[in-house]
Amino acid sequence: ADVVLKASHQWPGGKGDVRDEMVQILAREVAKANVGVEIKVYPGQSLFKANEQWGAMTKGQLDISAFPLDYASGRHPQFSATLMPGLVRNHDRAGRLNTSPFMDDIKKIVNDAGVVVIADAWLAGGFASKKQCITSPETMQGQVTRAAGPAFEQMLVGAGGSISSMPSSEIYTGLQTGVLDAANTSSGSFVSYRLYEQTTCLTAPGANALWFMYEPILMSKRSWDKLSAEQQDALMAAGKVAQDYFAAEAKGLDDKMIKAFKDAGVEVVEMSPEDYDAWLAIAKETSYKNFSENVPGGEELIAKALAVD
Amino acid sequence: MSFYINAVSAVSRFFGLIAMVLTGSAALVVTHMVIVRYFLGGSTVWQTEYVIYALVAATFLGSPYVLLNKGHVNVDLLQLRAGPVPRRIMQTLSALAGIAFCALLAWSGWIYFHEAWSYGWRTSTVWAIPLWIPLLPLPVGVGLMVLQYIAEIMKIHGGAR
Amino acid sequence: MTPMLWGAGVLVALLALLAVGTPIAFALGLVSILALILADGWGSVSILGETFFGGLASFGLVSIPMFILMGAAVASSPAGKDLYEALDRWLNRVPGGLVLSNLGACSIFAALSGSSPATCAAIGKMGIPEMTKRGYPNEIAAGSIAAGGTLGILIPPSVTMIVYGIATETSIGRLFLAGLLPGFMLTVLFMAWTIYDCRRRGVGLDMLGRRFSFRERLEVLPRVLPFLGIIAAILYVLYGGVATPSEAAGVGALFCLIFVAVIYRLWKLSLYSSLFRDTLKESVMIMMIIGASELFSFALSSLFITQTIAEWISLLDVNKWVLMAIINAFLLFAGFFLPPVAVILMTAPILLPIIIQAGFDPYWFAVILTINMEIGLITPPVGLNLYVINGIAPNITLGEILRGSLPYVGCMVVGIVLLCLMPEIALWLPNLLMGPAL
Ligand code: NA
Ligand code: NA
């Protein structure tokens, strides 16, 4: 091939992880298009650490990444909106969000930073506890929880929980040794870290999920600009295939998680619309409020996201 | 020459002292965090990050002092067996390699620090401190490494006398 | 250029830089960045800072300086001497009691220190003169302490295990547990050999220095028990759900500092400045190697060297035990020249996928690797413990230390073979306390 592109992500390679599969599909489809582009995939942080991928893309040192956008929120605080409690609610709404003014704003910031979005992806997640099922905010009281991202931490503290931050790979030991009572992460991580062995109740995403995270496939604008129009088209077409594959699989991930927990004898619950509204009320007082006050354009972003039906 | 050596070594010792204080403070803060979280049941917001960045800072700021005390471990097998002239050549070469790497790292670290400073980047946690604060020890400490290495080369070639 | 050619180039450049005596951290870093510049252009320099910084900024690594501080605090006090003396007073009527107290003190001290040279120095300062005084040959006195000291990185806490855990993303708590029984096993093997060797040479094993009254036995305990208490507390904290290894390390370090101050009434500023200086020297050295290894494994991966070697070995299709023997030989060889932390960081990203693919357990392998590294600590040309003993016992020649240490290398090889035959020695305890690994 004339052009070799490096694609990096943090998930295990070749083991059926959907995000790895998305990147592999991209690589296969681009190869099939026969436009002189080869994509080399580096899974499992074997090239860049998860957090370092963004900076490397903006500098043109990394070409492609499947990247949880919130990881770059230290540089672009607006990205916190892509891991903000209660902004997405369910997979159908995630699909509508992708083409909304909210995502237009986010993607404009992405582009201005020198990065191109190749494929959209929203992952759902939930809560699991060894103490008490987490549904309404009151159930959070007194539970030591590992949350994913500061916006969630602010909301959970607002509900009376306490927070212990650690990498997702340490959640299992944390629960087992009693350092943690509960954890909040993606459906995929719940299964791959076998958290069903250490918990007694799972709050599955269902129709009222608080936890969604935007994990698109991104490409460095510098690498993008070096491609011919034909190559760019092939890449976008491949991205579309990857995105459609993911949309079909995303719900399947939740089902897989529910099955794993049920098989392990763990109680599985969902949040009711009332629970969801109660959490949203707390989020408005905590994470949304912080976000609106501290992030330029934050208030508008939240309003635009909530306006999507 | 000996003025340069003395001045740089004094600066290295000063930063070494800061690095020791940072290391001690990390033990205090970790203990504080454990007490707050497990015995008082409270949330810990800043402790984890403080401890990480304090020890990273101790590493960078303490590195010139460790170089001064010949603490960066190397394989000195050939150096010990060689005669005085080849030994001096080898010591100079290894110091030049050290300078080359430290200069590149300090330069790159400076760029990273400068970006964080001028774009107002923050750490992506609840504490959300400006990223330039934990980044500053990298160009400072590793930059001082270059100066300390130059002093070491002077010593090899008799500057200490 | 093919990945294998790149690999050969990187290896040659690295060996050349190491040979002239470049510090390991800077040799690794320079080779990596030069390879990246040659392959991808000057732009590569732009990611140097973030990669190096990112490699160090992790909560897991916090435990390294903290455990080093803990070991330095205990080593700077007379605690090692007291520990040794307590064991001696209690065991001195038992045949071979001196051997047992020496190696026993090493293994107990190992539970307070993450590093082997520290263990060696703390016990050797008292143990070696005591052994020679009672007529043990220099070789046995020096060799048994040099070997006993290596237990510092096998019996938890262990800086080597922490580094392995970070490099391979395995659980540090589980790694610590995996090292515990093999650590005891090696202690027993060392004791058995020493007693056998003494018999063989006709050295009396029941030579009493003096008799101790029951009161004399009791009066050493108050100074020793607090440190045994810290060992117990750390184990409880780690496995009883109070804190993560990094947290346990920080708390343990602070408590050891306080105990040293309170029990020994050591309030001199010079003591603290020297123990913090020792801590800084060791932890900065290790952390810089860790940061540079981050660049090194990035360069190897970016140039597809890691992936190509792994693929190449998986295609070799040899018996998994032949593979294990080759890996052991390789690790031993690397250990002759390089310190444990450097060997682990440079080889783990390449070896681990191969190990797992061949069906070996990563926690079991950590123990095998650590014992290999222990051997490296008492073999020339770069055997850190040999030089430590040389420093604290100037009247014993390096040759005697070396000859004395060699039989213990044999003990460790026996230990590795036993672990291969019965992996449960390493895996039983972690599985019992923490459930099966992920
Ligand atoms: Na130890
Ligand atoms: Na060696």
Side-chain angles (χ1 to χ4, degrees):
Chain A
D2 315 327
V3 188
V4 178
L5 300 175
K6 287 176 180 165
S8 150
H9 67 71
Q10 71 201 80
W11 298 282
K15 292 196 182 136
D17 185 285
V18 274
R19 290 150 297 189
D20 173 54
E21 196 49 35
M22 257 182 107
V23 180
Q24 302 288 357
I25 288 174
L26 188 77
R28 283 200 295 271
E29 291 293 320
V30 167
K32 239 194 281 174
N34 208 10
V35 288
V37 175
E38 183 198 345
I39 297 179
K40 260 188 185 166
V41 185
Y42 295 78
Q45 310 198 61
S46 59
L47 191 59
F48 286 95
K49 286 252 179 73
N51 285 314
E52 290 157 20
Q53 298 172 120
W54 177 266
M57 275 189 290
T58 61
K59 294 190 167 86
Q61 292 301 308
L62 172 63
D63 304 308
I64 295 172
S65 174
F67 181 75
L69 196 63
D70 178 69
Y71 288 4
S73 62
R75 300 189 179 192
H76 304 283
Q78 294 84 353
F79 291 171
S80 293
T82 63
L83 181 60
M84 188 63 75
L87 273 195
V88 179
R89 194 159 194 161
N90 54 50
H91 288 289
D92 295 337
R93 214 169 148 272
R96 297 196 290 277
L97 213 54
N98 278 337
T99 51
S100 70
F102 166 71
M103 283 309 284
D104 290 345
D105 287 4
I106 295 287
K107 286 181 187 175
K108 177 159 189 322
I109 300 170
V110 172
N111 283 322
D112 291 348
V115 176
V116 182
V117 178
I118 302 285
D120 290 317
W122 284 92
L123 265 95
F127 293 87
S129 169
K130 58 190 285 189
K131 207 168 171 185
Q132 184 185 3
C133 289
I134 297 171
T135 48
S136 66
E138 296 82 62
T139 57
M140 196 64 224
Q141 213 94 49
Q143 300 214 45
V144 181
T145 309
R146 183 270 185 190
F152 269 88
E153 294 183 347
Q154 289 159 4
M155 181 187 73
L156 295 179
V157 168
S162 57
I163 294 305
S164 173
S165 45
M166 56 180 74
S168 50
S169 55
E170 287 290 321
I171 298 177
Y172 186 95
T173 323
L175 286 165
Q176 182 183 42
T177 56
V179 168
L180 291 178
D181 299 314
N184 160 226
T185 186
S186 71
S187 301
S189 295
F190 270 121
V191 177
S192 58
Y193 292 121
R194 302 204 330 224
L195 299 183
Y196 44 81
E197 293 178 354
Q198 295 298 335
T199 50
T200 54
C201 185
L202 169 76
T203 311
N208 301 294
L210 285 177
W211 199 98
F212 265 89
M213 189 175 197
Y214 183 53
E215 299 184 1
I217 296 186
L218 302 175
M219 181 162 178
S220 163
K221 185 125 199 325
R222 291 199 198 183
S223 318
W224 174 258
D225 289 341
K226 283 183 206 150
L227 300 180
S228 69
E230 189 198 13
Q231 291 169 328
Q232 289 178 346
D233 290 345
L235 213 60
M236 277 301 176
K240 184 80 179 53
V241 177
Q243 182 174 325
D244 291 345
Y245 159 82
F246 183 83
E249 289 292 311
K251 247 195 112 340
L253 275 178
D254 301 343
D255 300 338
K256 216 163 104 188
M257 164 177 70
I258 292 169
K259 186 173 182 309
F261 275 73
K262 278 193 172 151
D263 288 351
V266 177
E267 185 183 356
V268 178
V269 297
E270 288 180 10
M271 284 186 186
S272 67
E274 294 76 40
D275 293 334
Y276 186 82
D277 290 337
W279 278 111
L280 220 54
I282 292 180
K284 278 180 182 147
E285 289 307 308
T286 54
S287 7
Y288 293 6
K289 186 158 165 255
N290 269 316
F291 186 75
S292 303
E293 280 170 6
N294 298 328
V295 177
E299 203 167 355
E300 296 77 47
L301 269 175
I302 299 231
K304 280 179 185 169
L306 291 174
V308 175
D309 71 353
Chain B
M1 230 165 37
S2 75
F3 171 76
Y4 175 86
I5 294 176
N6 291 338
V8 169
S9 304
V11 177
S12 295
R13 280 194 203 97
F14 172 70
F15 280 112
L17 187 66
I18 293 182
M20 292 179 211
V21 172
L22 284 167
T23 307
S25 78
L28 276 174
V29 171
V30 168
T31 309
H32 171 250
M33 170 166 75
V34 170
I35 292 171
V36 167
R37 190 185 295 157
Y38 302 108
F39 297 103
L40 307 178
S43 290
T44 49
V45 173
W46 56 274
Q47 289 88 340
T48 309
E49 248 185 312
Y50 173 81
V51 171
I52 293 171
Y53 293 139
L55 291 174
V56 173
T59 302
F60 289 129
L61 297 178
S63 186
Y65 175 77
V66 172
L67 177 64
L68 178 65
N69 286 287
K70 312 239 177 300
H72 287 290
V73 62
N74 65 342
V75 184
D76 52 7
L77 220 58
L78 283 182
Q79 279 190 11
L80 292 177
R81 295 225 153 101
V85 174
R87 181 186 305 172
R88 228 177 291 159
I89 293 173
M90 279 196 262
Q91 285 172 335
T92 310
L93 282 177
S94 76
L96 287 175
I99 289 180
F101 176 69
C102 290
L104 287 171
L105 179 59
W107 167 247
S108 181
W110 168 259
I111 304 275
Y112 187 26
F113 159 79
H114 190 258
E115 282 176 324
W117 168 277
S118 44
Y119 297 122
W121 292 345
R122 292 175 169 269
T123 59
S124 41
T125 56
V126 175
W127 202 24
I129 52 166
L131 188 63
W132 66 263
I133 299 175
L135 286 183
L136 185 57
L138 168 52
V140 171
V142 181
L144 185 56
M145 282 292 287
V146 175
L147 302 182
Q148 184 64 52
Y149 252 128
I150 293 173
E152 297 303 309
I153 293 183
M154 289 176 174
K155 288 185 203 165
I156 296 167
H157 295 279
R161 268 175 278 151
Chain C
M1 239 160 79
T2 69
M4 282 313 230
L5 265 175
W6 273 111
V10 164
L11 186 66
V12 169
L14 180 63
L15 290 180
L17 280 174
L18 288 177
V20 298
T22 313
I24 294 168
F26 309 132
L28 280 174
L30 187 60
V31 166
S32 314
I33 190 61
L34 289 183
L36 288 169
I37 291 172
L38 286 176
D40 301 333
W42 281 100
S44 302
V45 178
S46 67
I47 52 161
L48 202 56
E50 191 171 359
T51 308
F52 202 97
F53 181 86
L56 293 184
S58 110
F59 193 59
L61 287 175
V62 164
S63 49
I64 291 181
M66 292 294 98
F67 274 131
I68 291 175
L69 178 60
M70 185 170 119
V74 185
S76 70
S77 74
K81 177 178 148 285
D82 283 346
L83 182 65
Y84 171 81
E85 204 164 300
L87 280 170
D88 190 34
R89 287 188 188 188
W90 283 85
L91 296 174
N92 92 330
R93 302 281 285 278
V94 183
L98 195 58
V99 172
L100 302 187
S101 22
N102 268 306
L103 286 163
C106 281
S107 82
I108 295 175
F109 195 88
L112 276 168
S113 165
S115 97
S116 287
T119 308
C120 213
I123 304 304
K125 268 179 212 153
M126 185 73 185
I128 294 175
E130 202 62 26
M131 281 181 106
T132 45
K133 200 168 80 192
R134 297 194 208 167
Y136 286 80
N138 282 351
E139 288 173 18
I140 293 184
S144 64
I145 298 285
T150 66
L151 296 169
I153 55 168
L154 184 59
I155 294 177
S158 154
V159 169
T160 310
M161 293 279 200
I162 296 168
V163 168
Y164 179 92
I166 306 270
T168 61
E169 295 184 321
T170 43
S171 157
I172 290 164
R174 181 177 282 275
L175 286 168
F176 280 2
L177 275 184
L180 201 54
L181 285 186
F184 286 134
M185 176 184 76
L186 281 191
T187 311
V188 171
L189 283 174
F190 291 167
M191 286 176 175
W193 164 259
T194 316
I195 289 176
Y196 166 79
D197 197 28
C198 288
R199 287 246 159 88
R200 202 177 51 120
R201 295 173 185 233
V203 180
L205 286 168
D206 41 6
M207 287 180 298
L208 298 184
R210 55 173 287 218
R211 284 175 175 275
F212 293 101
S213 69
F214 194 65
R215 210 184 131 173
E216 283 173 309
R217 290 183 173 176
L218 281 186
E219 73 187 11
V220 281
L221 292 183
R223 277 176 291 170
V224 174
L225 288 180
F227 292 100
L228 295 181
I230 285 197
I231 297 175
I234 286 184
L235 290 177
Y236 168 75
V237 161
L238 279 176
Y239 305 110
V242 179
T244 63
S246 297
E247 293 168 349
V251 177
L254 189 69
F255 272 74
C256 280
L257 282 172
I258 292 173
F259 278 16
V260 165
V262 172
I263 297 169
Y264 295 104
R265 306 190 196 290
L266 295 173
W267 301 102
K268 275 176 297 177
L269 195 63
S270 62
L271 172 86
Y272 293 94
S273 75
S274 85
L275 88 84
F276 271 101
R277 191 169 51 231
D278 291 349
T279 305
L280 194 68
K281 265 177 88 169
E282 190 168 346
S283 72
V284 165
M285 179 266 284
I286 291 177
M287 296 285 268
M288 289 303 271
I289 294 180
I290 291 173
S293 308
E294 193 71 30
L295 294 174
F296 188 65
S297 63
F298 175 84
L300 291 191
S301 180
S302 180
L303 298 168
F304 240 70
I305 299 170
T306 317
Q307 298 87 332
T308 310
I309 295 178
E311 200 178 321
W312 180 68
I313 292 185
S314 68
L315 288 177
L316 274 183
D317 198 29
V318 292
N319 175 294
K320 71 182 223 177
W321 294 106
V322 175
L323 184 69
M324 185 48 66
I326 296 172
I327 289 176
N328 265 293
F330 170 72
L331 288 173
L332 269 178
F333 180 75
F336 286 163
F337 302 96
L338 297 169
V341 172
V343 176
I344 290 175
L345 287 166
M346 287 159 66
T347 59
I350 298 179
L351 289 182
L352 199 79
I354 300 170
I355 293 293
I356 289 176
Q357 201 181 18
F360 292 107
D361 183 282
Y363 294 93
W364 170 86
F365 180 66
V367 174
I368 298 285
L369 190 142
T370 304
I371 298 180
N372 272 302
M373 296 303 103
E374 287 185 77
I375 294 176
L377 289 169
I378 54 170
T379 52
V382 186
L384 216 45
N385 283 16
L386 300 175
Y387 300 118
V388 171
I389 300 277
N390 201 23
I392 59 176
N395 53 331
I396 303 181
T397 67
L398 202 56
E400 284 174 319
I401 304 173
L402 194 60
R403 273 198 304 279
S405 301
L406 272 181
Y408 297 94
V409 172
C411 291
M412 293 191 225
V413 173
V414 171
I416 292 177
V417 171
L418 286 175
L419 274 161
C420 289
L421 295 174
M422 282 175 287
E424 294 78 18
I425 299 171
L427 299 177
W428 177 75
L429 196 58
N431 285 344
L432 178 76
L433 291 181
M434 302 182 79
L438 291 180

